[in-house]
Protein backbone atom coordinates (compact mmCIF):
# COMPACT_ATOMS: atom_id res chain seq x y z
CA UNK A 1 0.00 0.00 0.00
CA UNK A 2 2.94 2.35 0.49
CA UNK A 3 3.18 3.04 -3.25
CA UNK A 4 -0.16 4.88 -2.96
CA UNK A 5 0.81 7.45 -0.31
CA UNK A 6 2.52 10.78 -1.01
CA UNK A 7 5.27 10.35 1.61
CA UNK A 8 6.02 6.70 2.48
CA UNK A 9 8.75 7.63 4.97
CA UNK A 10 6.25 9.64 7.02
CA UNK A 11 3.81 6.70 7.08
CA UNK A 12 6.59 4.41 8.29
CA UNK A 13 7.55 6.97 10.96
CA UNK A 14 3.92 7.33 12.07
CA UNK A 15 3.53 3.56 12.34
CA UNK A 16 6.69 3.40 14.44
CA UNK A 17 5.33 6.10 16.74
CA UNK A 18 2.01 4.30 17.15
CA UNK A 19 3.28 0.75 17.73
CA UNK A 20 4.09 -0.23 21.29
CA UNK A 21 7.64 -1.28 22.15
CA UNK A 22 7.95 -4.97 21.34
CA UNK A 23 5.26 -4.66 18.66
CA UNK A 24 5.33 -5.59 14.99
CA UNK A 25 4.58 -3.48 11.93
CA UNK A 26 4.06 -4.97 8.46
CA UNK A 27 4.41 -3.06 5.19
CA UNK A 28 3.48 -4.07 1.66
CA UNK A 29 4.38 -2.35 -1.58
CA UNK A 30 5.71 -2.83 -5.09
CA UNK A 31 9.38 -2.98 -5.99
CA UNK A 32 10.67 -0.41 -8.50
CA UNK A 33 12.30 -2.26 -11.39
CA UNK A 34 11.43 -3.23 -14.98
CA UNK A 35 9.83 -6.54 -13.97
CA UNK A 36 7.39 -4.88 -11.57
CA UNK A 37 6.53 -2.26 -14.21
CA UNK A 38 5.75 -5.06 -16.65
CA UNK A 39 3.72 -7.17 -14.19
CA UNK A 40 1.96 -4.54 -12.04
CA UNK A 41 1.25 -1.85 -14.60
CA UNK A 42 1.32 -3.39 -18.07
CA UNK A 43 0.05 -6.82 -17.02
CA UNK A 44 -2.43 -6.04 -14.24
CA UNK A 45 -3.78 -2.72 -15.56
CA UNK A 46 -3.59 -3.01 -19.35
CA UNK A 47 -3.47 -6.70 -20.33
CA UNK A 48 -5.51 -8.50 -17.65
CA UNK A 49 -7.64 -5.48 -16.64
CA UNK A 50 -7.42 -6.57 -12.99
CA UNK A 51 -7.05 -2.95 -11.87
CA UNK A 52 -8.21 0.35 -13.32
CA UNK A 53 -5.66 1.93 -15.63
CA UNK A 54 -3.61 4.50 -13.79
CA UNK A 55 -3.89 2.74 -10.41
CA UNK A 56 -0.10 2.67 -10.09
CA UNK A 57 2.61 5.23 -10.78
CA UNK A 58 5.94 3.56 -11.44
CA UNK A 59 7.88 6.40 -9.82
CA UNK A 60 6.12 5.71 -6.51
CA UNK A 61 7.24 2.07 -6.37
CA UNK A 62 9.76 1.48 -3.55
CA UNK A 63 12.82 -0.73 -3.63
CA UNK A 64 13.21 -3.01 -0.58
CA UNK A 65 16.47 -1.25 0.33
CA UNK A 66 14.68 2.12 0.36
CA UNK A 67 11.87 0.84 2.56
CA UNK A 68 14.36 -0.84 4.89
CA UNK A 69 16.17 2.51 5.24
CA UNK A 70 12.89 4.27 6.10
CA UNK A 71 12.26 1.60 8.74
CA UNK A 72 15.73 1.93 10.28
CA UNK A 73 15.40 5.73 10.47
CA UNK A 74 12.05 5.27 12.22
CA UNK A 75 13.48 2.88 14.82
CA UNK A 76 12.02 -0.31 13.34
CA UNK A 77 14.19 -3.41 12.89
CA UNK A 78 13.67 -5.37 9.69
CA UNK A 79 13.04 -9.00 10.65
CA UNK A 80 11.62 -10.69 7.54
CA UNK A 81 10.90 -10.02 3.89
CA UNK A 82 8.66 -12.04 1.60
CA UNK A 83 7.52 -11.75 -1.96
CA UNK A 84 3.94 -12.24 -3.06
CA UNK A 85 3.04 -14.07 -6.24
CA UNK A 86 -0.26 -14.32 -8.10
CA UNK A 87 -1.55 -16.72 -10.71
CA UNK A 88 -4.28 -15.01 -12.78
CA UNK A 89 -5.55 -18.34 -14.13
CA UNK A 90 -6.23 -19.87 -10.71
CA UNK A 91 -6.67 -16.49 -8.96
CA UNK A 92 -4.36 -17.76 -6.22
CA UNK A 93 -1.87 -15.68 -4.20
CA UNK A 94 1.02 -17.06 -2.18
CA UNK A 95 4.13 -15.91 -0.34
CA UNK A 96 7.58 -16.74 -1.69
CA UNK A 97 11.17 -15.48 -1.60
CA UNK A 98 10.91 -13.36 -4.78
CA UNK A 99 10.62 -9.68 -3.77
CA UNK A 100 11.04 -8.42 -7.33
CA UNK A 101 7.38 -7.35 -7.77
CA UNK A 102 5.06 -7.39 -4.71
CA UNK A 103 6.70 -7.73 -1.33
CA UNK A 104 6.10 -7.50 2.41
CA UNK A 105 8.44 -6.42 5.18
CA UNK A 106 7.96 -7.46 8.79
CA UNK A 107 9.49 -4.99 11.24
CA UNK A 108 9.79 -4.99 14.99
CA UNK A 109 10.08 -2.14 17.47
CA UNK A 110 12.54 -2.95 20.21
CA UNK A 111 11.19 -3.25 23.72
CA UNK A 112 12.43 -0.51 26.03
Amino acid sequence: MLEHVPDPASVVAACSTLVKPGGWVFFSTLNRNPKSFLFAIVGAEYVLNMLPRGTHEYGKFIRPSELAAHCRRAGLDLRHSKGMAYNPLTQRYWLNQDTSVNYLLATHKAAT
Side-chain angles (χ1 to χ4, degrees):
M1 70 85 177
L2 285 176
E3 74 276 7
H4 297 288
V5 301
D7 185 2
S10 69
V11 172
V12 171
C15 289
S16 179
T17 299
L18 294 169
V19 70
K20 293 179 182 179
W24 291 84
V25 182
F26 300 86
F27 299 104
S28 69
T29 195
L30 289 165
N31 200 339
R32 189 176 63 251
N33 60 48
K35 181 179 177 182
S36 65
F37 177 83
L38 181 66
F39 281 50
I41 295 177
V42 176
E45 294 182 23
Y46 291 86
V47 176
L48 298 175
N49 294 311
M50 293 171 51
L51 301 167
R53 292 179 182 190
T55 296
H56 294 109
E57 292 179 45
Y58 178 72
K60 290 187 174 183
F61 290 6
I62 306 166
R63 291 186 180 110
S65 61
E66 295 166 342
L67 182 51
H70 294 327
C71 292
R72 281 191 303 275
R73 282 192 294 277
L76 297 171
D77 298 318
L78 175 61
R79 294 295 179 90
H80 304 284
S81 64
K82 287 284 186 181
M84 293 189 320
Y86 176 70
N87 182 325
L89 299 176
T90 62
Q91 298 182 350
R92 183 177 161 261
Y93 286 92
W94 65 94
L95 296 178
N96 61 25
Q97 298 304 315
D98 182 5
T99 60
S100 63
V101 180
N102 290 297
Y103 69 95
L104 301 153
L105 292 187
T107 65
H108 185 256
K109 187 169 186 175
T112 55

